[in-house]
Short mmCIF file of all heavy atoms in Angstrom, two decimals:
data_model
loop_
_atom_site.label_atom_id
_atom_site.label_comp_id
_atom_site.label_asym_id
_atom_site.label_seq_id
_atom_site.Cartn_x
_atom_site.Cartn_y
_atom_site.Cartn_z
N GLU A 1 69.08 111.51 36.10
CA GLU A 1 67.96 111.77 35.21
C GLU A 1 66.65 111.67 35.97
O GLU A 1 66.57 111.10 37.06
CB GLU A 1 67.97 110.76 34.05
CG GLU A 1 69.19 110.85 33.16
CD GLU A 1 69.26 112.17 32.42
OE1 GLU A 1 68.22 112.61 31.88
OE2 GLU A 1 70.35 112.76 32.39
N ARG A 2 65.61 112.24 35.37
CA ARG A 2 64.28 112.14 35.94
C ARG A 2 63.71 110.75 35.63
O ARG A 2 63.57 110.38 34.46
CB ARG A 2 63.37 113.24 35.39
CG ARG A 2 62.00 113.28 36.03
CD ARG A 2 61.17 114.46 35.54
NE ARG A 2 61.78 115.73 35.88
CZ ARG A 2 61.21 116.92 35.69
NH1 ARG A 2 59.99 116.98 35.17
NH2 ARG A 2 61.85 118.02 36.01
N ASP A 3 63.38 110.00 36.66
CA ASP A 3 62.98 108.62 36.51
C ASP A 3 61.54 108.40 36.95
O ASP A 3 61.05 109.05 37.87
CB ASP A 3 63.88 107.69 37.32
CG ASP A 3 65.29 107.61 36.77
OD1 ASP A 3 65.46 107.73 35.54
OD2 ASP A 3 66.22 107.41 37.57
N PHE A 4 60.91 107.44 36.29
CA PHE A 4 59.56 107.04 36.63
C PHE A 4 59.53 106.38 37.99
O PHE A 4 60.41 105.58 38.33
CB PHE A 4 59.04 106.07 35.57
CG PHE A 4 57.72 105.45 35.88
CD1 PHE A 4 56.54 106.13 35.65
CD2 PHE A 4 57.64 104.17 36.39
CE1 PHE A 4 55.31 105.56 35.92
CE2 PHE A 4 56.43 103.58 36.68
CZ PHE A 4 55.26 104.28 36.43
N VAL A 5 58.51 106.69 38.77
CA VAL A 5 58.32 106.09 40.08
C VAL A 5 57.07 105.23 40.12
O VAL A 5 57.12 104.05 40.49
CB VAL A 5 58.25 107.16 41.18
CG1 VAL A 5 57.97 106.52 42.54
CG2 VAL A 5 59.53 107.97 41.23
N ALA A 6 55.93 105.80 39.75
CA ALA A 6 54.66 105.09 39.81
C ALA A 6 53.66 105.78 38.89
O ALA A 6 53.77 106.97 38.62
CB ALA A 6 54.12 105.05 41.24
N GLY A 7 52.68 105.02 38.43
CA GLY A 7 51.64 105.57 37.59
C GLY A 7 50.31 104.91 37.86
O GLY A 7 50.25 103.79 38.38
N ILE A 8 49.23 105.60 37.48
CA ILE A 8 47.89 105.10 37.72
C ILE A 8 46.99 105.56 36.59
O ILE A 8 47.11 106.68 36.10
CB ILE A 8 47.37 105.58 39.10
CG1 ILE A 8 46.05 104.91 39.46
CG2 ILE A 8 47.26 107.10 39.14
CD1 ILE A 8 45.67 105.12 40.93
N ASN A 9 46.11 104.67 36.13
CA ASN A 9 45.23 105.03 35.03
C ASN A 9 44.06 105.88 35.53
O ASN A 9 43.96 106.20 36.71
CB ASN A 9 44.75 103.78 34.28
CG ASN A 9 43.75 102.95 35.06
OD1 ASN A 9 43.64 103.06 36.27
ND2 ASN A 9 43.00 102.12 34.34
N ARG A 10 43.18 106.24 34.60
CA ARG A 10 42.15 107.23 34.91
C ARG A 10 41.20 106.78 36.01
O ARG A 10 40.82 107.58 36.88
CB ARG A 10 41.35 107.57 33.65
CG ARG A 10 42.16 108.31 32.60
CD ARG A 10 41.39 108.45 31.31
NE ARG A 10 42.20 109.09 30.28
CZ ARG A 10 41.84 109.21 29.02
NH1 ARG A 10 40.66 108.72 28.61
NH2 ARG A 10 42.64 109.80 28.14
N SER A 11 40.81 105.53 35.99
CA SER A 11 39.86 105.03 36.97
C SER A 11 40.53 104.57 38.26
O SER A 11 39.85 104.38 39.28
CB SER A 11 39.05 103.87 36.39
OG SER A 11 39.88 102.73 36.20
N GLY A 12 41.84 104.39 38.23
CA GLY A 12 42.55 103.84 39.37
C GLY A 12 42.59 102.33 39.40
O GLY A 12 43.10 101.75 40.37
N SER A 13 42.10 101.68 38.35
CA SER A 13 42.06 100.23 38.32
C SER A 13 43.40 99.59 37.97
O SER A 13 43.58 98.39 38.18
CB SER A 13 41.00 99.75 37.33
OG SER A 13 41.32 100.16 36.01
N SER A 14 44.33 100.37 37.43
CA SER A 14 45.62 99.85 37.02
C SER A 14 46.72 100.74 37.55
O SER A 14 46.65 101.96 37.42
CB SER A 14 45.70 99.76 35.49
OG SER A 14 46.96 99.28 35.07
N THR A 15 47.74 100.13 38.13
CA THR A 15 48.90 100.87 38.62
C THR A 15 50.18 100.21 38.13
O THR A 15 50.19 99.03 37.77
CB THR A 15 48.92 100.94 40.15
OG1 THR A 15 48.94 99.61 40.69
CG2 THR A 15 47.70 101.67 40.68
N ARG A 16 51.26 100.98 38.16
CA ARG A 16 52.56 100.49 37.72
C ARG A 16 53.63 101.16 38.57
O ARG A 16 53.52 102.34 38.88
CB ARG A 16 52.77 100.77 36.24
CG ARG A 16 54.02 100.15 35.64
CD ARG A 16 54.04 100.36 34.14
NE ARG A 16 55.20 99.75 33.52
CZ ARG A 16 55.44 99.76 32.22
NH1 ARG A 16 54.59 100.35 31.39
NH2 ARG A 16 56.53 99.17 31.74
N TYR A 17 54.66 100.40 38.93
CA TYR A 17 55.70 100.90 39.80
C TYR A 17 57.08 100.58 39.25
O TYR A 17 57.29 99.54 38.62
CB TYR A 17 55.59 100.28 41.20
CG TYR A 17 54.32 100.61 41.91
CD1 TYR A 17 53.20 99.79 41.81
CD2 TYR A 17 54.22 101.75 42.70
CE1 TYR A 17 52.02 100.09 42.47
CE2 TYR A 17 53.05 102.06 43.36
CZ TYR A 17 51.96 101.23 43.25
OH TYR A 17 50.79 101.55 43.91
N ALA A 18 58.01 101.47 39.52
CA ALA A 18 59.41 101.15 39.28
C ALA A 18 59.85 100.05 40.23
O ALA A 18 59.38 99.96 41.36
CB ALA A 18 60.27 102.40 39.48
N ASP A 19 60.76 99.20 39.76
CA ASP A 19 61.23 98.10 40.60
C ASP A 19 61.83 98.60 41.91
O ASP A 19 61.73 97.93 42.94
CB ASP A 19 62.27 97.27 39.84
CG ASP A 19 61.66 96.45 38.73
OD1 ASP A 19 60.43 96.23 38.73
OD2 ASP A 19 62.42 95.99 37.85
N SER A 20 62.44 99.76 41.88
CA SER A 20 63.12 100.28 43.05
C SER A 20 62.18 100.66 44.18
O SER A 20 62.61 100.78 45.33
CB SER A 20 63.98 101.49 42.67
OG SER A 20 63.19 102.52 42.11
N VAL A 21 60.89 100.86 43.87
CA VAL A 21 59.94 101.28 44.89
C VAL A 21 58.82 100.27 45.11
O VAL A 21 58.01 100.45 46.04
CB VAL A 21 59.33 102.65 44.57
CG1 VAL A 21 60.43 103.68 44.32
CG2 VAL A 21 58.39 102.58 43.38
N LYS A 22 58.75 99.24 44.29
CA LYS A 22 57.68 98.27 44.39
C LYS A 22 57.67 97.62 45.77
O LYS A 22 58.70 97.18 46.28
CB LYS A 22 57.82 97.22 43.30
CG LYS A 22 56.62 96.31 43.13
CD LYS A 22 56.80 95.40 41.91
CE LYS A 22 56.87 96.20 40.63
NZ LYS A 22 56.99 95.32 39.43
N GLY A 23 56.50 97.57 46.37
CA GLY A 23 56.35 97.02 47.70
C GLY A 23 56.51 98.03 48.81
O GLY A 23 56.16 97.74 49.96
N ARG A 24 57.04 99.20 48.49
CA ARG A 24 57.22 100.26 49.48
C ARG A 24 56.32 101.46 49.23
O ARG A 24 55.87 102.10 50.18
CB ARG A 24 58.68 100.73 49.50
CG ARG A 24 59.68 99.63 49.85
CD ARG A 24 61.07 100.21 50.05
NE ARG A 24 61.60 100.80 48.82
CZ ARG A 24 61.97 102.07 48.71
NH1 ARG A 24 61.88 102.90 49.74
NH2 ARG A 24 62.45 102.52 47.55
N PHE A 25 56.09 101.78 47.96
CA PHE A 25 55.29 102.95 47.59
C PHE A 25 53.93 102.50 47.07
O PHE A 25 53.81 101.44 46.44
CB PHE A 25 55.98 103.76 46.50
CG PHE A 25 57.23 104.49 46.92
CD1 PHE A 25 57.83 104.25 48.15
CD2 PHE A 25 57.80 105.41 46.06
CE1 PHE A 25 58.99 104.92 48.52
CE2 PHE A 25 58.96 106.09 46.42
CZ PHE A 25 59.55 105.84 47.65
N THR A 26 52.92 103.32 47.29
CA THR A 26 51.58 103.07 46.78
C THR A 26 51.02 104.33 46.16
O THR A 26 50.97 105.37 46.81
CB THR A 26 50.63 102.58 47.88
OG1 THR A 26 51.15 101.39 48.48
CG2 THR A 26 49.26 102.27 47.30
N ILE A 27 50.61 104.23 44.90
CA ILE A 27 49.96 105.35 44.24
C ILE A 27 48.45 105.14 44.30
O ILE A 27 47.96 104.02 44.16
CB ILE A 27 50.45 105.51 42.78
CG1 ILE A 27 49.90 106.80 42.16
CG2 ILE A 27 50.10 104.30 41.94
CD1 ILE A 27 50.53 107.13 40.81
N SER A 28 47.72 106.21 44.52
CA SER A 28 46.26 106.15 44.56
C SER A 28 45.70 107.47 44.08
O SER A 28 46.44 108.45 43.90
CB SER A 28 45.76 105.82 45.97
OG SER A 28 46.14 106.83 46.89
N ARG A 29 44.40 107.51 43.87
CA ARG A 29 43.79 108.75 43.42
C ARG A 29 42.38 108.88 43.95
O ARG A 29 41.71 107.88 44.25
CB ARG A 29 43.80 108.85 41.88
CG ARG A 29 42.92 107.83 41.17
CD ARG A 29 43.20 107.84 39.67
NE ARG A 29 42.99 109.16 39.09
CZ ARG A 29 43.52 109.58 37.94
NH1 ARG A 29 44.31 108.77 37.23
NH2 ARG A 29 43.27 110.81 37.50
N ASP A 30 41.93 110.10 44.06
CA ASP A 30 40.58 110.43 44.43
C ASP A 30 40.07 111.39 43.38
O ASP A 30 40.36 112.59 43.42
CB ASP A 30 40.52 111.06 45.83
CG ASP A 30 39.11 111.29 46.33
OD1 ASP A 30 38.18 111.35 45.50
OD2 ASP A 30 38.93 111.41 47.54
N ASN A 31 39.34 110.87 42.41
CA ASN A 31 38.92 111.69 41.29
C ASN A 31 37.93 112.78 41.70
O ASN A 31 37.86 113.83 41.06
CB ASN A 31 38.32 110.82 40.19
CG ASN A 31 39.37 110.03 39.45
OD1 ASN A 31 40.56 110.35 39.49
ND2 ASN A 31 38.95 108.98 38.75
N ALA A 32 37.16 112.54 42.75
CA ALA A 32 36.24 113.56 43.24
C ALA A 32 37.00 114.78 43.75
O ALA A 32 36.47 115.89 43.72
CB ALA A 32 35.34 113.00 44.33
N LYS A 33 38.23 114.57 44.22
CA LYS A 33 39.07 115.66 44.71
C LYS A 33 40.12 116.09 43.70
O LYS A 33 40.93 116.98 44.00
CB LYS A 33 39.76 115.25 46.01
CG LYS A 33 38.80 114.97 47.16
CD LYS A 33 39.57 114.59 48.42
CE LYS A 33 38.62 114.34 49.57
NZ LYS A 33 39.35 113.95 50.80
N ASN A 34 40.13 115.47 42.52
CA ASN A 34 41.13 115.77 41.49
C ASN A 34 42.54 115.69 42.05
O ASN A 34 43.39 116.54 41.78
CB ASN A 34 40.88 117.15 40.88
CG ASN A 34 39.58 117.22 40.11
OD1 ASN A 34 39.23 116.30 39.38
ND2 ASN A 34 38.87 118.33 40.27
N THR A 35 42.79 114.64 42.81
CA THR A 35 44.05 114.51 43.52
C THR A 35 44.61 113.10 43.37
O THR A 35 43.86 112.12 43.43
CB THR A 35 43.89 114.84 45.01
OG1 THR A 35 43.38 116.18 45.14
CG2 THR A 35 45.22 114.75 45.74
N VAL A 36 45.92 113.01 43.18
CA VAL A 36 46.63 111.75 43.17
C VAL A 36 47.63 111.77 44.32
O VAL A 36 48.19 112.82 44.66
CB VAL A 36 47.32 111.49 41.82
CG1 VAL A 36 48.38 112.54 41.53
CG2 VAL A 36 47.89 110.08 41.76
N TYR A 37 47.86 110.61 44.92
CA TYR A 37 48.71 110.50 46.10
C TYR A 37 49.83 109.49 45.86
O TYR A 37 49.70 108.56 45.07
CB TYR A 37 47.90 110.03 47.31
CG TYR A 37 46.67 110.86 47.60
CD1 TYR A 37 45.44 110.51 47.06
CD2 TYR A 37 46.75 111.98 48.41
CE1 TYR A 37 44.31 111.26 47.32
CE2 TYR A 37 45.62 112.75 48.68
CZ TYR A 37 44.40 112.38 48.13
OH TYR A 37 43.29 113.13 48.39
N LEU A 38 50.90 109.68 46.57
CA LEU A 38 51.97 108.70 46.60
C LEU A 38 52.35 108.47 48.06
O LEU A 38 52.95 109.35 48.69
CB LEU A 38 53.19 109.17 45.80
CG LEU A 38 54.32 108.15 45.68
CD1 LEU A 38 53.88 106.96 44.82
CD2 LEU A 38 55.58 108.80 45.09
N GLN A 39 51.98 107.31 48.58
CA GLN A 39 52.34 106.93 49.93
C GLN A 39 53.68 106.22 49.88
O GLN A 39 53.82 105.20 49.21
CB GLN A 39 51.27 106.02 50.54
CG GLN A 39 51.60 105.51 51.93
CD GLN A 39 51.64 106.62 52.96
OE1 GLN A 39 50.75 107.45 53.02
NE2 GLN A 39 52.70 106.64 53.77
N MET A 40 54.66 106.73 50.61
CA MET A 40 56.01 106.21 50.58
C MET A 40 56.35 105.66 51.96
O MET A 40 56.39 106.41 52.94
CB MET A 40 57.00 107.30 50.17
CG MET A 40 56.71 107.89 48.80
SD MET A 40 57.87 109.20 48.33
CE MET A 40 57.27 110.52 49.38
N ASN A 41 56.59 104.37 52.02
CA ASN A 41 56.94 103.69 53.26
C ASN A 41 58.35 103.12 53.16
O ASN A 41 58.90 102.97 52.08
CB ASN A 41 55.95 102.57 53.56
CG ASN A 41 54.54 103.05 53.76
OD1 ASN A 41 54.30 104.13 54.30
ND2 ASN A 41 53.58 102.24 53.33
N SER A 42 58.91 102.78 54.31
CA SER A 42 60.25 102.19 54.37
C SER A 42 61.24 102.98 53.55
O SER A 42 62.01 102.44 52.76
CB SER A 42 60.21 100.73 53.91
OG SER A 42 59.32 99.96 54.70
N LEU A 43 61.24 104.28 53.74
CA LEU A 43 62.05 105.16 52.92
C LEU A 43 63.54 104.93 53.15
O LEU A 43 63.98 104.62 54.26
CB LEU A 43 61.70 106.61 53.20
CG LEU A 43 60.40 107.07 52.53
CD1 LEU A 43 59.87 108.34 53.19
CD2 LEU A 43 60.63 107.30 51.04
N LYS A 44 64.29 105.09 52.08
CA LYS A 44 65.73 104.91 52.07
C LYS A 44 66.40 106.21 51.65
O LYS A 44 65.80 107.01 50.94
CB LYS A 44 66.13 103.79 51.10
CG LYS A 44 65.43 102.46 51.34
CD LYS A 44 65.77 101.48 50.23
CE LYS A 44 65.07 100.16 50.44
NZ LYS A 44 65.38 99.20 49.34
N PRO A 45 67.65 106.43 52.05
CA PRO A 45 68.34 107.64 51.60
C PRO A 45 68.35 107.80 50.08
O PRO A 45 68.30 108.93 49.59
CB PRO A 45 69.75 107.47 52.16
CG PRO A 45 69.55 106.64 53.39
CD PRO A 45 68.45 105.68 53.04
N GLU A 46 68.41 106.71 49.35
CA GLU A 46 68.41 106.79 47.90
C GLU A 46 67.08 107.23 47.31
O GLU A 46 66.98 107.48 46.10
CB GLU A 46 68.85 105.46 47.27
CG GLU A 46 68.09 104.25 47.79
CD GLU A 46 68.85 103.51 48.87
OE1 GLU A 46 69.39 104.18 49.78
OE2 GLU A 46 68.90 102.27 48.83
#
């Protein structure tokens, strides 16, 4: 199934992560560029 990974509110002041990626992934945004990012570290085959 399609599963939640990470989320971020409008200002970027609040984030939320799935337990499976917490500590490895970081969500961020640049509202001036209308862009959201997901930095993924320590990647696993899963």
Side-chain angles (χ1 to χ4, degrees):
E1 297 295 315
R2 185 175 298 187
D3 291 328
F4 174 81
V5 177
I8 188 167
N9 72 341
R10 292 172 184 172
S11 69
S13 63
S14 179
T15 59
R16 187 173 181 179
Y17 298 91
D19 288 342
S20 59
V21 307
K22 192 174 297 182
R24 300 188 296 121
F25 291 10
T26 302
I27 188 171
S28 62
R29 66 191 302 159
D30 186 339
N31 287 341
K33 297 181 179 179
N34 294 318
T35 302
V36 63
Y37 307 92
L38 185 67
Q39 177 66 47
M40 301 179 286
N41 299 324
S42 302
L43 283 162
K44 305 174 181 179
E46 51 262 45

